[in-house]
Amino acid sequence: MLACLLLGSTWGTALAETLRVGMPLPGQIPFFWRDDGGEYQGVYVDTLRLVAADLDVDLEFVPLSQARLRRHFVSGEIDIEAGVSVNLEVPPELKQVSLYSRPFGIVNEVIIYSPELSFPVFILKDLENRRVATVRGTSVPDDLIREDFSNQWQIAQRVHRGWNEVGLMKEVLALRYQREGNLKYEISLPYESNPVMFRLHVDKKALLKPMNESITRLEDQGELDRLVCKYLCGKGEPRN
């Protein structure tokens, strides 16, 4: 078990603080995943570690499916989730207990589709009433006929093999899987660009202002750019 660290006088009172971090299963390289040694890696994880070190708090990573993560967050069993966007709709019960940090990055969402398709797939309106491969638990427009799968690698493989004509996924993953897996599909221009941030449970609202100040400081110092480049500018990690 991770030891609790004592918060400094910045908070006015001494509190033993360990943040329980909800980690969606399966992992999603390069954003977050568990390595062979059982340690969490990735852009979101390391960003949170930088902020936690700045605030002098400890982290306990809790792996959960996306659906269970939401339920645990609503019930207060999870304190924080990394890499979420307020641009996506969330259930009322989750919204009620959620606070959001300032953004620490941006993620582009794209459509991948079979090269044989004869219509231009560039915006979501083109997909109205079409069967679309999506990741289970993610938010998508209501006018799509979604077919849920466990992760974005599975979606990329299905579109490549012709089992699905169209899928929704993150641009960085679509490009990476296409290149490293030699997969054949087309990639649209981004149909949406979502700022990503930390979702903090309302019970931890005292942490929100210092967390935002830390993100601003890390951004001004260039630490966030260096962290992203660590994962995206060099050799890729194994697929998952």
Short mmCIF file of all heavy atoms in Angstrom, two decimals, residues 105-152:
data_model
loop_
_atom_site.label_atom_id
_atom_site.label_comp_id
_atom_site.label_asym_id
_atom_site.label_seq_id
_atom_site.Cartn_x
_atom_site.Cartn_y
_atom_site.Cartn_z
N GLY A 105 -3.95 19.37 -21.99
CA GLY A 105 -3.62 18.91 -23.34
C GLY A 105 -4.86 18.90 -24.21
O GLY A 105 -5.96 19.24 -23.76
N ILE A 106 -4.68 18.51 -25.46
CA ILE A 106 -5.78 18.43 -26.43
C ILE A 106 -5.68 17.11 -27.17
O ILE A 106 -4.58 16.68 -27.56
CB ILE A 106 -5.73 19.60 -27.43
CG1 ILE A 106 -6.04 20.92 -26.73
CG2 ILE A 106 -6.72 19.38 -28.57
CD1 ILE A 106 -5.97 22.13 -27.64
N VAL A 107 -6.82 16.46 -27.39
CA VAL A 107 -6.87 15.20 -28.14
C VAL A 107 -7.85 15.36 -29.30
O VAL A 107 -8.99 15.79 -29.11
CB VAL A 107 -7.32 14.03 -27.24
CG1 VAL A 107 -7.57 12.78 -28.07
CG2 VAL A 107 -6.27 13.74 -26.18
N ASN A 108 -7.38 15.02 -30.51
CA ASN A 108 -8.22 15.07 -31.70
C ASN A 108 -8.95 13.75 -31.89
O ASN A 108 -8.35 12.68 -31.77
CB ASN A 108 -7.38 15.37 -32.95
CG ASN A 108 -6.82 16.77 -32.94
OD1 ASN A 108 -7.44 17.71 -32.44
ND2 ASN A 108 -5.63 16.94 -33.50
N GLU A 109 -10.23 13.82 -32.22
CA GLU A 109 -11.03 12.64 -32.52
C GLU A 109 -11.24 12.55 -34.03
O GLU A 109 -11.52 13.56 -34.68
CB GLU A 109 -12.40 12.73 -31.82
CG GLU A 109 -12.32 12.91 -30.31
CD GLU A 109 -11.87 11.65 -29.58
OE1 GLU A 109 -11.94 10.56 -30.20
OE2 GLU A 109 -11.47 11.76 -28.42
N VAL A 110 -11.09 11.34 -34.59
CA VAL A 110 -11.22 11.17 -36.04
C VAL A 110 -12.12 9.97 -36.35
O VAL A 110 -12.43 9.16 -35.49
CB VAL A 110 -9.85 10.96 -36.71
CG1 VAL A 110 -8.97 12.18 -36.56
CG2 VAL A 110 -9.15 9.71 -36.18
N ILE A 111 -12.51 9.90 -37.61
CA ILE A 111 -13.26 8.77 -38.14
C ILE A 111 -12.30 7.95 -38.99
O ILE A 111 -11.60 8.49 -39.84
CB ILE A 111 -14.42 9.25 -39.02
CG1 ILE A 111 -15.35 10.20 -38.23
CG2 ILE A 111 -15.20 8.08 -39.60
CD1 ILE A 111 -16.24 11.05 -39.10
N ILE A 112 -12.24 6.65 -38.75
CA ILE A 112 -11.49 5.77 -39.65
C ILE A 112 -12.52 4.98 -40.45
O ILE A 112 -13.58 4.62 -39.94
CB ILE A 112 -10.51 4.83 -38.92
CG1 ILE A 112 -11.24 3.84 -38.01
CG2 ILE A 112 -9.50 5.64 -38.12
CD1 ILE A 112 -10.35 2.74 -37.46
N TYR A 113 -12.21 4.73 -41.73
CA TYR A 113 -13.21 4.07 -42.57
C TYR A 113 -12.54 3.29 -43.69
O TYR A 113 -11.39 3.55 -44.08
CB TYR A 113 -14.19 5.09 -43.14
CG TYR A 113 -13.57 6.23 -43.93
CD1 TYR A 113 -13.50 6.19 -45.32
CD2 TYR A 113 -13.07 7.35 -43.28
CE1 TYR A 113 -12.95 7.24 -46.05
CE2 TYR A 113 -12.51 8.40 -44.00
CZ TYR A 113 -12.46 8.34 -45.38
OH TYR A 113 -11.90 9.38 -46.09
N SER A 114 -13.29 2.34 -44.20
CA SER A 114 -12.80 1.48 -45.28
C SER A 114 -12.51 2.30 -46.53
O SER A 114 -13.30 3.16 -46.91
CB SER A 114 -13.85 0.42 -45.59
OG SER A 114 -13.55 -0.26 -46.78
N PRO A 115 -11.38 2.05 -47.20
CA PRO A 115 -11.05 2.78 -48.44
C PRO A 115 -12.09 2.56 -49.53
O PRO A 115 -12.18 3.36 -50.46
CB PRO A 115 -9.70 2.18 -48.85
CG PRO A 115 -9.12 1.60 -47.61
CD PRO A 115 -10.30 1.12 -46.81
N GLU A 116 -12.88 1.49 -49.43
CA GLU A 116 -13.87 1.19 -50.46
C GLU A 116 -15.13 2.05 -50.36
O GLU A 116 -15.96 2.03 -51.27
CB GLU A 116 -14.29 -0.29 -50.39
CG GLU A 116 -13.25 -1.26 -50.93
CD GLU A 116 -12.06 -1.43 -49.99
OE1 GLU A 116 -12.29 -1.36 -48.75
OE2 GLU A 116 -10.93 -1.60 -50.46
N LEU A 117 -15.31 2.76 -49.27
CA LEU A 117 -16.52 3.57 -49.12
C LEU A 117 -16.57 4.65 -50.19
O LEU A 117 -15.58 5.32 -50.48
CB LEU A 117 -16.57 4.21 -47.74
CG LEU A 117 -16.93 3.28 -46.58
CD1 LEU A 117 -16.97 4.06 -45.27
CD2 LEU A 117 -18.26 2.60 -46.80
N SER A 118 -17.75 4.83 -50.78
CA SER A 118 -17.89 5.75 -51.91
C SER A 118 -18.40 7.13 -51.50
O SER A 118 -18.57 7.99 -52.35
CB SER A 118 -18.86 5.16 -52.95
OG SER A 118 -20.12 4.91 -52.37
N PHE A 119 -18.66 7.34 -50.21
CA PHE A 119 -19.13 8.65 -49.80
C PHE A 119 -18.07 9.31 -48.91
O PHE A 119 -17.26 8.62 -48.29
CB PHE A 119 -20.47 8.56 -49.06
CG PHE A 119 -20.37 7.88 -47.73
CD1 PHE A 119 -20.25 8.61 -46.56
CD2 PHE A 119 -20.41 6.49 -47.63
CE1 PHE A 119 -20.17 7.99 -45.34
CE2 PHE A 119 -20.34 5.87 -46.40
CZ PHE A 119 -20.22 6.62 -45.26
N PRO A 120 -18.07 10.64 -48.85
CA PRO A 120 -17.03 11.33 -48.06
C PRO A 120 -17.32 11.25 -46.56
O PRO A 120 -18.28 11.82 -46.08
CB PRO A 120 -17.12 12.78 -48.55
CG PRO A 120 -18.53 12.93 -49.00
CD PRO A 120 -18.96 11.59 -49.53
N VAL A 121 -16.49 10.54 -45.84
CA VAL A 121 -16.67 10.42 -44.39
C VAL A 121 -15.72 11.41 -43.70
O VAL A 121 -14.58 11.09 -43.42
CB VAL A 121 -16.37 8.98 -43.93
CG1 VAL A 121 -16.65 8.84 -42.44
CG2 VAL A 121 -17.19 7.98 -44.70
N PHE A 122 -16.20 12.60 -43.47
CA PHE A 122 -15.36 13.62 -42.83
C PHE A 122 -16.03 14.24 -41.62
O PHE A 122 -15.37 14.80 -40.77
CB PHE A 122 -14.97 14.72 -43.81
CG PHE A 122 -14.03 14.24 -44.88
CD1 PHE A 122 -14.45 14.08 -46.18
CD2 PHE A 122 -12.71 13.93 -44.57
CE1 PHE A 122 -13.58 13.65 -47.16
CE2 PHE A 122 -11.84 13.49 -45.55
CZ PHE A 122 -12.27 13.34 -46.85
N ILE A 123 -17.35 14.18 -41.56
CA ILE A 123 -18.05 14.75 -40.42
C ILE A 123 -19.05 13.72 -39.91
O ILE A 123 -19.48 12.82 -40.63
CB ILE A 123 -18.77 16.06 -40.78
CG1 ILE A 123 -19.77 15.83 -41.92
CG2 ILE A 123 -17.77 17.15 -41.13
CD1 ILE A 123 -20.59 17.06 -42.25
N LEU A 124 -19.41 13.86 -38.64
CA LEU A 124 -20.29 12.87 -38.04
C LEU A 124 -21.66 12.82 -38.71
O LEU A 124 -22.32 11.78 -38.71
CB LEU A 124 -20.46 13.17 -36.55
CG LEU A 124 -19.23 12.92 -35.67
CD1 LEU A 124 -19.55 13.21 -34.23
CD2 LEU A 124 -18.74 11.49 -35.82
N LYS A 125 -22.09 13.94 -39.29
CA LYS A 125 -23.40 13.96 -39.96
C LYS A 125 -23.46 12.93 -41.09
O LYS A 125 -24.51 12.36 -41.39
CB LYS A 125 -23.69 15.36 -40.49
CG LYS A 125 -25.09 15.52 -41.07
CD LYS A 125 -25.34 16.94 -41.50
CE LYS A 125 -26.74 17.09 -42.08
NZ LYS A 125 -27.01 18.47 -42.55
N ASP A 126 -22.31 12.67 -41.72
CA ASP A 126 -22.25 11.67 -42.79
C ASP A 126 -22.55 10.26 -42.28
O ASP A 126 -22.86 9.36 -43.07
CB ASP A 126 -20.86 11.66 -43.46
CG ASP A 126 -20.55 12.95 -44.19
OD1 ASP A 126 -21.49 13.57 -44.70
OD2 ASP A 126 -19.38 13.32 -44.24
N LEU A 127 -22.42 10.07 -40.98
CA LEU A 127 -22.58 8.73 -40.41
C LEU A 127 -23.97 8.49 -39.84
O LEU A 127 -24.21 7.44 -39.24
CB LEU A 127 -21.54 8.52 -39.30
CG LEU A 127 -20.08 8.69 -39.71
CD1 LEU A 127 -19.18 8.46 -38.51
CD2 LEU A 127 -19.72 7.77 -40.85
N GLU A 128 -24.87 9.44 -40.00
CA GLU A 128 -26.20 9.31 -39.43
C GLU A 128 -26.86 8.00 -39.88
O GLU A 128 -26.89 7.67 -41.07
CB GLU A 128 -27.07 10.50 -39.85
CG GLU A 128 -28.41 10.54 -39.16
CD GLU A 128 -29.16 11.82 -39.48
OE1 GLU A 128 -28.57 12.71 -40.13
OE2 GLU A 128 -30.34 11.91 -39.11
N ASN A 129 -27.36 7.26 -38.88
CA ASN A 129 -28.04 5.97 -39.10
C ASN A 129 -27.12 4.88 -39.66
O ASN A 129 -27.60 3.85 -40.15
CB ASN A 129 -29.25 6.13 -40.03
CG ASN A 129 -30.30 7.04 -39.41
OD1 ASN A 129 -30.55 6.97 -38.21
ND2 ASN A 129 -30.91 7.89 -40.22
N ARG A 130 -25.80 5.08 -39.61
CA ARG A 130 -24.85 4.04 -40.01
C ARG A 130 -24.34 3.31 -38.78
O ARG A 130 -24.25 3.87 -37.69
CB ARG A 130 -23.67 4.63 -40.78
CG ARG A 130 -23.97 4.89 -42.24
CD ARG A 130 -22.71 5.32 -42.97
NE ARG A 130 -22.94 5.33 -44.41
CZ ARG A 130 -22.68 4.32 -45.22
NH1 ARG A 130 -22.18 3.21 -44.74
NH2 ARG A 130 -22.92 4.41 -46.51
N ARG A 131 -23.95 2.05 -38.97
CA ARG A 131 -23.37 1.25 -37.90
C ARG A 131 -21.90 1.64 -37.73
O ARG A 131 -21.13 1.55 -38.67
CB ARG A 131 -23.50 -0.23 -38.24
CG ARG A 131 -23.16 -1.18 -37.11
CD ARG A 131 -23.60 -2.59 -37.47
NE ARG A 131 -22.99 -3.02 -38.73
CZ ARG A 131 -21.83 -3.67 -38.81
NH1 ARG A 131 -21.16 -3.95 -37.70
NH2 ARG A 131 -21.36 -4.04 -39.97
N VAL A 132 -21.54 2.10 -36.53
CA VAL A 132 -20.22 2.66 -36.28
C VAL A 132 -19.57 1.94 -35.10
O VAL A 132 -20.20 1.77 -34.04
CB VAL A 132 -20.30 4.17 -35.98
CG1 VAL A 132 -18.92 4.74 -35.70
CG2 VAL A 132 -20.96 4.90 -37.16
N ALA A 133 -18.31 1.51 -35.27
CA ALA A 133 -17.58 0.86 -34.18
C ALA A 133 -17.09 1.90 -33.19
O ALA A 133 -16.45 2.89 -33.56
CB ALA A 133 -16.39 0.08 -34.75
N THR A 134 -17.40 1.71 -31.91
CA THR A 134 -17.02 2.64 -30.86
C THR A 134 -16.47 1.87 -29.66
O THR A 134 -16.65 0.65 -29.56
CB THR A 134 -18.23 3.47 -30.40
OG1 THR A 134 -19.26 2.58 -29.92
CG2 THR A 134 -18.79 4.31 -31.54
N VAL A 135 -15.82 2.57 -28.76
CA VAL A 135 -15.32 1.95 -27.54
C VAL A 135 -16.43 1.96 -26.50
O VAL A 135 -17.07 2.99 -26.27
CB VAL A 135 -14.08 2.70 -27.00
CG1 VAL A 135 -13.66 2.12 -25.64
CG2 VAL A 135 -12.93 2.58 -27.98
N ARG A 136 -16.64 0.82 -25.89
CA ARG A 136 -17.70 0.67 -24.90
C ARG A 136 -17.53 1.69 -23.78
O ARG A 136 -16.45 1.87 -23.23
CB ARG A 136 -17.67 -0.74 -24.32
CG ARG A 136 -18.79 -1.07 -23.34
CD ARG A 136 -18.74 -2.54 -22.93
NE ARG A 136 -18.99 -3.41 -24.07
CZ ARG A 136 -18.06 -4.16 -24.65
NH1 ARG A 136 -16.81 -4.14 -24.21
NH2 ARG A 136 -18.36 -4.93 -25.69
N GLY A 137 -18.59 2.42 -23.45
CA GLY A 137 -18.56 3.38 -22.35
C GLY A 137 -18.26 4.80 -22.77
O GLY A 137 -18.41 5.72 -21.97
N THR A 138 -17.84 5.02 -24.03
CA THR A 138 -17.57 6.37 -24.49
C THR A 138 -18.84 7.05 -24.97
O THR A 138 -19.82 6.39 -25.33
CB THR A 138 -16.54 6.37 -25.64
OG1 THR A 138 -17.06 5.57 -26.73
CG2 THR A 138 -15.21 5.81 -25.18
N SER A 139 -18.82 8.38 -24.98
CA SER A 139 -19.98 9.15 -25.42
C SER A 139 -19.89 9.41 -26.92
O SER A 139 -18.87 9.86 -27.41
CB SER A 139 -20.05 10.49 -24.67
OG SER A 139 -20.17 10.28 -23.28
N VAL A 140 -20.98 9.12 -27.65
CA VAL A 140 -21.06 9.38 -29.08
C VAL A 140 -22.43 9.98 -29.38
O VAL A 140 -23.36 9.85 -28.58
CB VAL A 140 -20.86 8.10 -29.93
CG1 VAL A 140 -19.50 7.48 -29.65
CG2 VAL A 140 -21.96 7.09 -29.67
N PRO A 141 -22.59 10.67 -30.54
CA PRO A 141 -23.89 11.25 -30.89
C PRO A 141 -24.99 10.20 -30.94
O PRO A 141 -24.77 9.05 -31.33
CB PRO A 141 -23.62 11.86 -32.27
CG PRO A 141 -22.16 12.14 -32.28
CD PRO A 141 -21.54 11.03 -31.50
N ASP A 142 -26.19 10.61 -30.56
CA ASP A 142 -27.32 9.68 -30.46
C ASP A 142 -27.78 9.15 -31.82
O ASP A 142 -28.42 8.10 -31.88
CB ASP A 142 -28.51 10.37 -29.77
CG ASP A 142 -28.22 10.66 -28.31
OD1 ASP A 142 -27.38 9.96 -27.72
OD2 ASP A 142 -28.84 11.60 -27.77
N ASP A 143 -27.49 9.88 -32.92
CA ASP A 143 -28.02 9.46 -34.21
C ASP A 143 -27.13 8.43 -34.90
O ASP A 143 -27.38 8.05 -36.04
CB ASP A 143 -28.25 10.66 -35.14
CG ASP A 143 -27.01 11.53 -35.31
OD1 ASP A 143 -25.96 11.17 -34.73
OD2 ASP A 143 -27.10 12.55 -36.00
N LEU A 144 -26.09 7.96 -34.21
CA LEU A 144 -25.27 6.88 -34.76
C LEU A 144 -25.75 5.54 -34.22
O LEU A 144 -26.24 5.44 -33.11
CB LEU A 144 -23.80 7.07 -34.36
CG LEU A 144 -23.12 8.38 -34.75
CD1 LEU A 144 -21.65 8.31 -34.36
CD2 LEU A 144 -23.27 8.67 -36.22
N ILE A 145 -25.62 4.51 -35.03
CA ILE A 145 -25.90 3.15 -34.57
C ILE A 145 -24.58 2.57 -34.10
O ILE A 145 -23.74 2.15 -34.90
CB ILE A 145 -26.50 2.30 -35.71
CG1 ILE A 145 -27.76 2.96 -36.26
CG2 ILE A 145 -26.79 0.89 -35.21
CD1 ILE A 145 -28.31 2.29 -37.50
N ARG A 146 -24.35 2.59 -32.80
CA ARG A 146 -23.06 2.20 -32.27
C ARG A 146 -22.96 0.69 -32.11
O ARG A 146 -23.92 0.01 -31.78
CB ARG A 146 -22.77 2.91 -30.95
CG ARG A 146 -23.68 2.54 -29.80
CD ARG A 146 -23.38 3.38 -28.58
NE ARG A 146 -22.03 3.16 -28.10
CZ ARG A 146 -21.39 4.03 -27.30
NH1 ARG A 146 -21.97 5.15 -26.92
NH2 ARG A 146 -20.17 3.75 -26.88
N GLU A 147 -21.73 0.20 -32.34
CA GLU A 147 -21.39 -1.19 -32.07
C GLU A 147 -20.16 -1.17 -31.18
O GLU A 147 -19.08 -0.76 -31.60
CB GLU A 147 -21.11 -1.96 -33.37
CG GLU A 147 -20.90 -3.44 -33.13
CD GLU A 147 -20.79 -4.22 -34.44
OE1 GLU A 147 -20.84 -3.60 -35.52
OE2 GLU A 147 -20.62 -5.45 -34.36
N ASP A 148 -20.32 -1.55 -29.93
CA ASP A 148 -19.28 -1.36 -28.92
C ASP A 148 -18.25 -2.47 -28.90
O ASP A 148 -18.58 -3.66 -29.01
CB ASP A 148 -19.91 -1.25 -27.54
CG ASP A 148 -20.59 0.10 -27.32
OD1 ASP A 148 -20.29 1.03 -28.07
OD2 ASP A 148 -21.41 0.20 -26.39
N PHE A 149 -16.97 -2.05 -28.70
CA PHE A 149 -15.86 -2.97 -28.54
C PHE A 149 -15.02 -2.52 -27.36
O PHE A 149 -15.20 -1.43 -26.83
CB PHE A 149 -15.05 -3.05 -29.83
CG PHE A 149 -15.86 -3.56 -31.00
CD1 PHE A 149 -16.42 -2.67 -31.91
CD2 PHE A 149 -16.09 -4.91 -31.16
CE1 PHE A 149 -17.20 -3.13 -32.95
CE2 PHE A 149 -16.87 -5.38 -32.20
CZ PHE A 149 -17.43 -4.49 -33.11
N SER A 150 -14.08 -3.36 -26.95
CA SER A 150 -13.38 -3.12 -25.70
C SER A 150 -12.30 -2.04 -25.80
O SER A 150 -12.00 -1.39 -24.80
CB SER A 150 -12.76 -4.42 -25.17
OG SER A 150 -11.83 -4.94 -26.12
N ASN A 151 -11.68 -1.85 -26.97
CA ASN A 151 -10.61 -0.85 -27.08
C ASN A 151 -10.44 -0.39 -28.52
O ASN A 151 -11.02 -0.95 -29.45
CB ASN A 151 -9.30 -1.42 -26.53
CG ASN A 151 -8.87 -2.70 -27.23
OD1 ASN A 151 -8.57 -2.70 -28.42
ND2 ASN A 151 -8.88 -3.80 -26.50
N GLN A 152 -9.61 0.64 -28.70
CA GLN A 152 -9.46 1.26 -30.01
C GLN A 152 -8.59 0.42 -30.96
O GLN A 152 -8.76 0.50 -32.19
CB GLN A 152 -8.89 2.67 -29.86
CG GLN A 152 -9.81 3.53 -29.01
CD GLN A 152 -9.58 5.01 -29.16
OE1 GLN A 152 -9.28 5.51 -30.24
NE2 GLN A 152 -9.72 5.73 -28.07
#
